[in-house]
Amino acid sequence: MATCSGIAFDGEVVALLPRGDRKVRLDNGHVITSLPMRGPSTGVPLIGDRVVVEIALNQLKGWRLARRP
């Protein structure tokens, strides 16, 4: 049985929100609110940075920043 970690999209940070959340404009034009990255952060994404956001198939609580390309 194959497993999939989730669905991922490329986007750009457009706003910084409290608690480390970010508003991200996806490449398809949709704007979402994403949770902070898990684990040790190598750099905090700022406005204008390109990021990859993902949502796990088993946890549909919200989008999470996955990495910075």
Side-chain angles (χ1 to χ4, degrees):
M1 180 167 78
T3 60
C4 181
S5 63
I7 302 168
F9 290 97
D10 294 328
E12 179 181 348
V13 177
V14 293
L16 305 176
L17 302 174
R19 298 183 300 131
D21 295 350
R22 304 283 190 265
K23 282 266 194 220
V24 178
R25 179 179 297 119
L26 302 178
D27 289 344
N28 63 9
H30 294 266
V31 177
I32 61 167
T33 301
S34 69
L35 302 171
M37 287 189 255
R38 286 187 179 167
S41 60
T42 57
V44 178
L46 300 175
I47 294 175
D49 286 350
R50 299 287 302 168
V51 294
V52 175
V53 293
E54 68 180 16
I55 190 165
L57 296 177
N58 60 351
Q59 285 187 325
L60 298 177
K61 292 183 179 178
W63 294 94
R64 183 171 297 277
L65 289 174
R67 63 186 179 276
R68 294 172 63 187

